Amino acid sequence: MIKAIKGTRDILPPESALWNRVESTAREIFDLYSFSEIRTPIFESTELFARGVGEDTDIVSKEMYTFEDRDEKSLTLRPEGTAPVVRACFEHQLRHEMPIAKLYYLGPMFRRERPQKGRYRQFHQIGAEVLGSDNPAIEAEILEMLQLFLVRIGIAEHTLLVNSIGCPLCRPPFLGKLKEALVAKRALLCADCRRRSETNPLRVLDCKVESCQPIIDSLPKISDFLDEGCRAHFDKFLGYLDAREIAYQQVPRLVRGLDYYTRTTFEITSTALGAQNTLIGGGRYDGLSEILGGPPLKGFGFALGLERIVLILQETKKIAETAPAQLFLAPLGEAAFEKATLIAKFMRAEGIRCVLDFEARSLKSAMRLANKLQTQHVLIFGETELQNSTYQLKHMASGEQTELTETDLRSKLVLGRLKGSF
Ligand code: AMP
């Protein structure tokens, strides 16, 4: 039998209910902070990511799903959501209507990484971008929003890591010192870092290889090189976090894996995740628009991994079960079944979750199934009840059985009882 492709997953019930809950909570919380949804295409021209994310990033150099279209144009399945949002913002001149555009997205992303727990080749992100402001207050507000989101879905245990990686003015002197230090330590670095130390030394700070860690700790720190503007920006940002009582740790080596970041970068991690412990990553990307060939545009945003959020919820047993049906219809005999289809139609239109037993079962096996499904009530009726137009409504938890007429069944009282939790 054909199987799903390595690194992709089917999301099955009851896990899918958890996904829906995470997504709807995100929508609800983002709406409170005046974000609107944007949906961009799954594939874009390769150039958008090659330029936007950066040629020497792992994503562009080895992880993109790139293919040639029939007209020979190079296309790529989106590996991330920020570059497409910035592209769309200009393409549709969104900022004419919204001087500060607050947009969020959710959907699949594609990176050809080595699959493991919490890391897939098709994964899902929820992200948000604020375009048109370089105010550090907006950064703190987004972190406040993320904190509210995490608490609301039940992930209270998490750590916020923050850093500033400076701007194109103050970063070059730092990169100079970094390169010098890396040349001295070259022999001790992993093969990737040896390459990176020449092509993109900042990326070395991001390396996860064990033997590189003590070397990275001894390298110059960007925080000692920030110019006045970047320092003031970062201090203000931290001050806004303090004022909101948002706890954080400063991590000088936090540079993130994408090239477009400037100034503030952050990650939210969770110990519940194991090796792939980054739940959310984001930062400021004031230069991205120009890299893409657009006019200057300040931007700040983040993306969170839905799979990782769901993993934590599953591991901490915060599993959202699909709510059991409120009414199980157990018709006995063919005529009763015909009638049951109409009752089910009526009940569902009234907003009552119904299960209609399609298999002509005995009463005993129908009750066994209703029990298994944890249905709150069972409506039982056969030939005799049909002739008298009566129904037996059984409340499963108490075992109490009530005889109802056709009118009773459709009355506000009974509908209220079915909807209620008793
Ligand atoms: P990034 O776009 O690399 O900044 O990643 C942002 C977030 O997306 C990460 O913190 C993860 O939660 C999630 N993420 C990134 N890559 C993957 C992947 N391959 N599989 C699952 N989640 C991922």
Side-chain angles (χ1 to χ4, degrees):
M1 185 61 194
I2 298 167
K3 296 230 166 80
I5 304 292
K6 185 176 168 193
T8 69
R9 293 178 67 231
D10 297 308
I11 298 153
L12 309 171
E15 186 186 325
S16 49
L18 209 48
W19 280 67
N20 284 335
R21 205 184 84 200
V22 175
E23 287 172 3
S24 62
T25 308
R27 289 180 193 282
E28 198 184 303
I29 302 290
F30 296 178
D31 182 48
L32 294 176
Y33 285 80
S34 344
F35 280 83
S36 313
E37 185 175 356
I38 179 168
R39 301 188 192 201
T40 63
I42 301 283
F43 55 87
E44 300 262 3
S45 68
T46 302
E47 206 189 344
L48 178 71
F49 303 111
R51 276 164 60 175
V53 178
E55 297 276 5
D56 194 52
T57 56
D58 282 353
I59 296 180
V60 174
S61 63
K62 50 188 186 196
E63 294 171 0
M64 294 208 301
Y65 283 95
T66 296
F67 59 97
E68 207 170 79
D69 201 355
R70 286 169 196 274
D71 61 4
E72 293 175 12
K73 189 171 164 40
S74 179
L75 304 178
T76 292
L77 298 185
R78 63 179 185 196
E80 63 97 50
T82 303
V85 170
V86 171
R87 176 201 53 69
C89 182
F90 283 114
E91 200 163 327
H92 308 287
Q93 297 170 347
L94 289 187
R95 292 195 52 242
H96 282 319
E97 287 137 53
M98 305 187 251
I100 296 184
K102 294 171 98 178
L103 301 164
Y104 77 88
Y105 58 84
L106 49 91
M109 305 291 161
F110 305 85
R111 295 181 196 171
R112 202 174 193 288
E113 297 193 83
R114 199 163 45 81
Q116 53 181 282
K117 189 178 171 198
R119 191 199 272 172
Y120 310 97
R121 291 182 172 174
Q122 173 173 326
F123 60 99
H124 297 75
Q125 287 187 333
I126 304 183
E129 317 290 350
V130 179
L131 302 170
S133 168
D134 64 355
N135 193 333
I138 203 88
E139 303 168 5
E141 191 182 86
I142 288 200
L143 288 163
E144 175 195 301
M145 176 173 93
L146 283 172
Q147 196 174 50
L148 182 61
F149 164 73
L150 289 173
V151 169
R152 188 64 65 84
I153 55 167
I155 303 182
E157 304 276 317
H158 54 264
T159 310
L160 169 62
L161 312 175
V162 297
N163 190 26
S164 171
I165 57 165
C167 66
L169 293 178
C170 61
R171 213 176 305 148
F174 164 68
L175 290 178
K177 287 279 181 234
L178 187 62
K179 266 190 175 170
E180 266 174 39
L182 287 170
V183 169
K185 306 261 162 80
R186 193 179 153 79
L188 302 169
L189 294 168
C190 73
D192 270 346
C193 280
R194 252 176 271 153
R195 180 182 48 82
R196 289 177 188 135
S197 61
E198 271 149 36
T199 53
N200 195 344
L202 211 55
R203 288 276 78 76
V204 173
L205 303 181
D206 215 24
C207 177
K208 301 283 186 288
V209 173
E210 198 58 46
S211 58
C212 288
Q213 303 312 306
I215 305 162
I216 295 172
D217 288 338
S218 71
L219 294 171
K221 296 188 171 34
I222 178 82
S223 45
D224 297 329
F225 290 80
L226 295 183
D227 66 20
E228 223 175 283
C230 291
R231 181 82 256 164
H233 184 100
F234 194 47
D235 287 344
K236 271 193 174 168
F237 166 63
L238 299 181
Y240 287 129
L241 290 182
D242 291 334
R244 289 173 159 84
E245 296 181 340
I246 298 174
Y248 57 85
Q249 284 173 23
Q250 286 191 53
V251 180
R253 55 180 280 187
L254 182 75
V255 291
R256 315 273 310 117
L258 298 92
D259 266 1
Y260 50 57
Y261 286 114
T262 53
R263 293 191 164 175
T264 315
T265 56
F266 76 90
E267 282 185 2
I268 296 181
T269 60
S270 164
T271 46
L273 276 173
Q276 301 302 315
N277 69 350
T278 310
L279 204 53
I280 307 179
R284 177 159 289 287
Y285 48 85
D286 292 346
L288 175 60
S289 167
E290 282 123 307
I291 294 173
L292 297 178
L297 174 69
K298 311 285 184 197
F300 184 83
F302 69 85
L304 63 86
L306 254 159
E307 280 82 359
R308 295 188 191 177
I309 297 261
V310 168
L311 264 174
I312 294 189
L313 294 177
Q314 285 176 320
E315 266 162 34
T316 51
K317 304 275 177 281
K318 297 228 167 68
I319 296 174
E321 299 289 349
T322 320
Q326 291 155 321
L327 182 64
F328 184 99
L329 294 159
L332 306 169
E334 207 165 308
F337 178 80
E338 296 302 322
K339 181 75 190 182
T341 59
L342 302 181
I343 298 174
K345 182 179 174 194
F346 169 80
M347 291 295 173
R348 286 166 177 153
E350 289 293 328
I352 289 165
R353 293 189 304 276
C354 277
V355 177
L356 175 57
D357 189 9
F358 283 93
E359 313 295 326
R361 290 168 213 272
S362 67
L363 180 59
K364 199 167 152 206
S365 61
M367 295 308 280
R368 204 177 303 132
L369 179 61
N371 242 326
K372 195 170 157 212
L373 298 175
Q374 298 178 337
T375 324
Q376 291 167 18
H377 295 88
V378 179
L379 193 70
I380 308 158
F381 55 107
E383 297 297 327
T384 326
E385 284 85 358
L386 259 193
Q387 270 164 20
N388 307 338
S389 281
T390 56
Y391 302 88
Q392 300 296 324
L393 182 67
K394 182 165 178 166
H395 181 231
M396 295 298 276
S398 63
E400 199 179 295
Q401 201 158 308
T402 324
E403 184 165 290
L404 301 176
T405 64
E406 186 78 45
T407 322
D408 291 339
L409 186 62
R410 291 160 198 266
S411 68
K412 278 210 168 63
L413 188 72
V414 169
L415 293 178
R417 243 175 86 181
L418 293 175
K419 278 187 197 169
S421 56
F422 56 93

